[in-house]
Amino acid sequence: LTHIADGTSFAGLLGTSDMTEKCINQQFADPFHVTLFRRDPQRYLYETMRYDGAVTDITSLLPKETRMPLEGQMTTLARGTPQQLNLGQANRDPNVFRNPERFDPDRPDLMESLSWNGRL
């Protein structure tokens, strides 16, 4: 029960609070953000979380034995080895996002963001 409560608080309350705070702060810092938000609130919030997400990384377990370079040498990692995935960096990948450092709710590649697309 404690784990369910912790997960609900983390995923539901903290993420939403973080997104709300960033949305408000951006609009106070730059009045043009008010225009962007009013034009399409959903895309504005998606872009806010792509640009500076509430959840910056996740931990998962390797689903199968995997070979990868580690410290300059090929290494075999066993199935079930924990791996840390950095969403913040992935959401700024120039191979995925055109001009990834620019805040742009109208970007055509917005739904490639790992913050909200349901892929993880």
Side-chain angles (χ1 to χ4, degrees):
L1 187 57
T2 300
H3 295 299
I4 292 171
D6 288 345
T8 301
S9 292
F10 179 74
L13 178 63
L14 296 179
T16 303
S17 297
D18 182 75
M19 179 178 62
T20 302
E21 180 181 0
K22 288 174 183 173
C23 178
I24 291 168
N25 287 340
Q26 288 173 161
Q27 291 181 47
F28 272 114
D30 182 351
F32 184 63
H33 275 259
V34 175
T35 302
L36 292 173
F37 178 80
R38 287 180 177 162
R39 186 169 59 216
D40 190 332
Q42 183 175 10
R43 290 188 68 85
Y44 183 88
L45 294 175
Y46 282 7
E47 177 66 353
T48 296
M49 291 295 93
R50 182 204 67 84
Y51 192 78
D52 187 13
V55 177
T56 58
D57 58 349
I58 62 168
T59 302
S60 68
L61 303 178
L62 289 175
K64 61 183 181 180
E65 185 176 277
T66 304
R67 286 192 48 80
M68 66 174 54
L70 187 62
E71 296 184 358
Q73 298 181 15
M74 288 305 289
T75 305
T76 300
L77 300 173
R79 177 183 180 268
T81 299
Q83 62 178 339
Q84 194 71 22
L85 306 172
N86 187 312
L87 302 180
Q89 281 300 113
N91 285 336
R92 299 282 186 105
D93 184 346
N95 294 314
V96 177
F97 300 100
R98 187 179 45 178
N99 301 316
E101 299 301 321
R102 194 175 105 225
F103 186 91
D104 179 10
D106 296 324
R107 64 177 59 253
D109 47 21
L110 180 58
M111 294 314 292
E112 295 301 316
S113 169
L114 296 178
S115 298
W116 293 102
N117 68 14
R119 292 183 190 167
L120 298 176

